[in-house]
C-alpha cells in the first residue's frame, strides 16, 4: 500500500509564511539600527577607522584622547547642556501651565485650539528661520544663549502641550476638589497634586523635548555666531574637513561622548517611566 501523504492546512501554512515575513522585516529593521551603532563603537577605538564595519585590529583610546579637549568637547558640551537644559525646563513649565486649563476647563474651542497649535509643528523650521533671524537681529537676541533657548523652547512647545494635556487628563479631578476644599488655589493644586501624580508624563515631555533640542543643528547654527557659544550639535561639523576628508575615528569618539548625556538622562528616569501614575493610594479614604 502506498503511504498517504497529508498536506498541511492552507491556513496554517499561510500564517507561518506571514510570521516568517514579519520576522524577516524585523531583522532588516534591527540591522538598520545595529550596524550604524556597531560602526560607531568599533570606529571610536580604531585609529585607522574607515566606513567599513569591522572590529579594530589594534584597539586604542587615541581618538578619545584627541577629542577630549576644552575646545573640541568640553566647551561645546557645556554649551549644549546649558542651552538644551534651560530650554527644556522652560518648555515643561509653559506646557504644564498651558495644558492645565485645556484639561480642567472643557470648551468648544479647546479642540480647534489644540489642532491649531499642532498644525504649527508641521511647518519646517527652515521656512521660518529667515523671519526669525530678522526678528532676533532687531531685538538683539542674535548670538545669545537665552535667545536661542527661547526659540528652541517655542519650537517644541506645541507638541509638549499635547503630551502634557493627555497625561493631565489621567489625574482625577476629585483630588483637586479635595485640595480646593482645604483652601488651595489652582496653582497650588497644580504644583502639589497634579504634577506629582503625573511624574511619568512630565518625564516623557522633558525627555522628548531635551532629545529633540540636543540633536538640533540648524537653529543654533543660524542664531549663534560666536565659536565659543556653539553647542556640540554644531561643533561636530568641524570633523568634516575639506575635499571630503573625514577623521572617522575622532568623529565616532566624539559621537559616543555626544550621546552620553541623552542615554544617562533616559537611564535616570527610566524607573519613573515604567512606574505609571501612583493614584492607588490617593483615591482611598
Amino acid at each position: 500500500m502506498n503511504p498517504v501523504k497529508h498536506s498541511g492546512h492552507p491556513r496554517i501554512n499561510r500564517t507561518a509564511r506571514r510570521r516568517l515575513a514579519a520576522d524577516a522585516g524585523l531583522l532588516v529593521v534591527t540591522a538598520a539600527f545595529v550596524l550604524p551603532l556597531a560602526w560607531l563603537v568599533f570606529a571610536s577605538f580604531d585609529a585607522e577607522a574607515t566606513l567599513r564595519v569591522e572590529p579594530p585590529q589594534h584597539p586604542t583610546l587615541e581618538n578619545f584622547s584627541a577629542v577630549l579637549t576644552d575646545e573640541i568637547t568640553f566647551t561645546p558640551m557645556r554649551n549644549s547642556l546649558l542651552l538644551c537644559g534651560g530650554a527644556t525646563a522652560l518648555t515643561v513649565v509653559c506646557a504644564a501651565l498651558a495644558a492645565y486649563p485645556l484639561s480642567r476647563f472643557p470648551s468648544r474651542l479647546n479642540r480647534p485650539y489644540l489642532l491649531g497649535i499642532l498644525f504649527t509643528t508641521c511647518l519646517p523650521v527652515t521656512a521660518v528661520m529667515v523671519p526669525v533671524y530678522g526678528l532676533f537681529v532687531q531685538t538683539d537676541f542674535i548670538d545669545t544663549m537665552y535667545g536661542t533657548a527661547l526659540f528652541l523652547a517655542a519650537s517644541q512647545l506645541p507638541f509638549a502641550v499635547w503630551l502634557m494635556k493627555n497625561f493631565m487628563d489621567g489625574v482625577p479631578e476629585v483630588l483637586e476638589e479635595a485640595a480646593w476644599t482645604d483652601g488651595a488655589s489652582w496653582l497650588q493644586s497644580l504644583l502639589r497634586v497634579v504634577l506629582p501624580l503625573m511624574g511619568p508624563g512630565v518625564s516623557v515631555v522633558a525627555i522628548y523635548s531635551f532629545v529633540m533640542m540636543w540633536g538640533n543643528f540648524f537653529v543654533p547654527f543660524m542664531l549663534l555666531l560666536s565659536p565659543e557659544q556653539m553647542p556640540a550639535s554644531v561643533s561636530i561639523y568641524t570633523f568634516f574637513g575639506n575635499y571630503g576628508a573625514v577623521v572617522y575615528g575622532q568623529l565616532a569618539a566624539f559621537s559616543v561622548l555626544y550621546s552620553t548625556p541623552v542615554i544617562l538622562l533616559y537611564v535616570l528616569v527610566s524607573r519613573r517611566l515604567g512606574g505609571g501614575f501612583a493614584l492607588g493610594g490617593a483615591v482611598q479614604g
Side-chain angles (χ1 to χ4, degrees), residues 73-207:
T73 299
F74 296 121
T75 298
M77 292 286 282
R78 181 198 63 194
N79 294 337
S80 292
L81 290 174
L82 293 175
L83 185 65
C84 299
T88 299
L90 183 61
T91 300
V92 172
V93 171
C94 294
L97 294 176
Y100 184 77
L102 294 172
S103 175
R104 291 300 185 257
F105 305 106
S107 172
R108 290 182 298 179
L109 298 178
N110 284 3
R111 183 173 179 81
Y113 175 77
L114 288 171
L115 293 177
I117 63 174
L118 188 62
F119 173 76
T120 60
T121 62
C122 301
L123 297 175
V125 68
T126 53
V128 299
M129 281 310 300
V130 172
V132 167
Y133 184 86
L135 178 64
F136 271 47
V137 170
Q138 294 180 2
T139 57
D140 293 330
F141 276 4
I142 196 70
D143 199 24
T144 59
M145 294 288 287
Y146 60 86
T148 306
L150 184 63
F151 181 74
L152 286 174
S155 63
Q156 295 300 322
L157 189 57
F159 195 72
V161 172
W162 263 84
L163 287 177
M164 192 74 74
K165 191 261 182 186
N166 290 333
F167 284 113
M168 200 170 290
D169 288 342
V171 180
E173 295 185 27
V174 64
L175 302 178
E176 290 183 85
E177 293 174 357
W180 295 335
T181 303
D182 294 335
S185 63
W186 69 268
L187 183 59
Q188 290 175 330
S189 65
L190 173 63
L191 297 177
R192 299 181 181 181
V193 178
V194 178
L195 291 181
L197 292 176
M198 53 175 292
V202 176
S203 300
V204 168
V205 174
I207 290 178

Side-chain angles (χ1 to χ4, degrees), residues 54-69:
E54 57 183 3
Q57 297 182 355
H58 303 286
T60 179
L61 296 176
E62 292 182 4
N63 295 323
F64 290 94
S65 301
V67 300
L68 284 176
T69 63

Side-chain angles (χ1 to χ4, degrees), residues 47 86 118 135 163 168 178 230-231 240 243 258 269 272 274 285:
L118 188 62
L135 178 64
L163 287 177
M168 200 170 290
M230 291 296 178
F240 296 86
Y243 307 106
Y258 178 57
V269 301
R272 300 200 68 183

Side-chain angles (χ1 to χ4, degrees), residues 240-251:
F240 296 86
N242 296 327
Y243 307 106
V246 182
V247 187
Y248 290 110
Q250 296 183 17
L251 174 63

